[in-house]
Amino acid sequence: MDEWIPDFLGPGFEQRATTGDPGGTLVRFLPKTTADAAPALVYVHGWSDYYFNGELARFTVRRGWRFYALDLPEHGRSIKPGGLPGYLPSIENYLASIDAALTVVREEGAGPVVLMGHSTGGLAVALEAQQRPERLSAVVLSSPWLAPHGGRTAGRALERMLDVAARRRPERILPLPARGYFWRAIAREAGGEWDLRADYRPRTAFPIRAGWLRSILAAQRQLASGPRIAVPALLLAAAKSDTGLVWREHMRSRDAVLSIRPMRRAAAAACSSLDEVLVPGGLHDVLLSAPAVRHEAYERLGAWLDAALSIAPPYRRSRRA
């Protein structure tokens, strides 16, 4: 399928499959008033997730930009019958899906492209920018998972432990504790604001498999050892984190998935030109936080995007959507 069809997010949203193997699903929100050669924001979700934040799309098009979001293979709209939801055996699968999405965006006449990735999607976006900076004007790393839990040494030791298991049975499910704290903070049925599809985003996430985790650890090591990202980069994250094993109510206003300090260190080491927006009261995905928190995040994100593209070729803004 290479034609745009209506998406379940409602009027103005469309989706289409991308080409290649593995393929993903690209979503767009593109009012007819959007100018040719307008900048494009392309969003990549995190692990065991999918694109559902229509507010981000409307924020983007109000600026006169194009908006696209990618559901990665075996995630969200791209889950195949009989497949393994959430499982991608290599970071190269992420990058191939991102490359296919960027090809579509370019073919549609977009101008400067800003690639935005959340959590594990942020790791993939960082690697894309590291390897193919000529395709991008800037990147936004939204609470990116750039460093192993416990630090680089612990990550390398875990990667070595997983080598044999991943080679023999890469699809083996690892017996790791299930935590649904981020879901608890955002899902409407648990007191949050967001309606989530249980088939696309289960409460405690999809199973973690040996081949997937080994590939993510290898990708983090690859990012740390490679050249620094040359394009302007923004770290968008919560100001505080609590990744403890016991639920606490203040996790509704902190990152309960990743620790902020190692994230900041890894982002600074990976990027030649990095700005930070650390938002008090933010969640793991700052743009899903309480209204006042995400209002601040959008204001600061918008100002950064304008500055990051200030040296890009002029483009004609559309009417406000």
Side-chain angles (χ1 to χ4, degrees), residues 120-146:
T120 308
L123 172 62
V125 162
L127 282 168
E128 178 72 18
Q130 183 186 66
Q131 296 179 16
R132 287 174 279 276
E134 70 280 356
R135 305 191 72 182
L136 306 171
S137 292
V139 291
V140 178
L141 306 177
S142 170
S143 304
W145 189 20
L146 304 182

Side-chain angles (χ1 to χ4, degrees), residues 187-198:
R188 190 180 302 278
E189 58 199 280
E193 293 184 54
W194 304 91
D195 295 311
L196 305 175
R197 288 186 52 155

Side-chain angles (χ1 to χ4, degrees), residues 145 147-156 259 262 265:
W145 189 20
H149 296 292
R152 186 178 301 180
T153 301
R156 188 68 185 108
S259 297
R265 287 196 298 267

Side-chain angles (χ1 to χ4, degrees), residues 6-26:
D7 186 74
F8 60 77
L9 287 181
F13 288 93
E14 299 175 292
Q15 63 165 277
R16 59 161 287 184
T18 59
T19 58
D21 183 23
T25 305
L26 194 60

Side-chain angles (χ1 to χ4, degrees), residues 205-226:
F206 295 121
I208 295 177
R209 301 179 187 273
W212 174 81
L213 183 55
R214 183 188 62 170
S215 75
I216 295 302
L217 293 170
Q220 291 171 338
R221 181 166 48 83
Q222 179 182 345
L223 179 70
S225 61

Side-chain angles (χ1 to χ4, degrees), residues 61-268:
V61 302
R62 281 197 297 268
R63 311 187 74 78
W65 289 39
R66 296 166 173 263
F67 177 81
Y68 299 86
L70 174 65
D71 272 14
L72 291 160
E74 291 300 338
H75 289 76
R77 300 162 179 82
S78 305
I79 294 175
K80 297 178 180 178
L84 298 175
Y87 177 65
L88 286 172
S90 170
I91 195 66
E92 294 304 321
N93 299 134
Y94 286 80
L95 298 183
S97 187
I98 291 172
D99 286 342
L102 292 177
T103 296
V104 173
V105 172
R106 289 297 192 195
E107 288 175 348
E108 293 210 327
V113 173
V114 177
L115 190 57
M116 178 178 184
H118 172 65
S119 198
T120 308
L123 172 62
V125 162
L127 282 168
E128 178 72 18
Q130 183 186 66
Q131 296 179 16
R132 287 174 279 276
E134 70 280 356
R135 305 191 72 182
L136 306 171
S137 292
V139 291
V140 178
L141 306 177
S142 170
S143 304
W145 189 20
L146 304 182
H149 296 292
R152 186 178 301 180
T153 301
R156 188 68 185 108
L158 178 57
E159 187 183 345
R160 286 195 295 266
M161 289 174 58
L162 287 170
D163 277 345
V164 175
R167 281 198 300 269
R168 291 177 178 174
R169 292 177 56 199
E171 298 173 2
R172 175 188 174 188
I173 295 175
L174 299 177
L176 299 174
R179 299 176 66 218
Y181 295 166
F182 184 41
W183 179 94
R184 188 170 177 176
I186 65 174
R188 190 180 302 278
E189 58 199 280
E193 293 184 54
W194 304 91
D195 295 311
L196 305 175
R197 288 186 52 155
D199 54 339
Y200 286 178
R201 197 185 195 288
R203 176 170 183 165
T204 54
F206 295 121
I208 295 177
R209 301 179 187 273
W212 174 81
L213 183 55
R214 183 188 62 170
S215 75
I216 295 302
L217 293 170
Q220 291 171 338
R221 181 166 48 83
Q222 179 182 345
L223 179 70
S225 61
R228 302 183 82 188
I229 294 170
V231 300
L234 174 70
L235 174 64
L236 175 64
K240 294 183 179 181
S241 57
D242 182 350
T243 58
L245 297 177
V246 178
W247 168 261
R248 304 180 185 193
E249 278 300 310
H250 70 216
M251 288 177 171
R252 296 187 185 277
S253 58
R254 298 186 185 186
D255 190 328
V257 178
L258 297 177
S259 297
I260 300 302
R261 287 183 181 178
M263 181 193 303
R264 294 178 67 190
R265 287 196 298 267

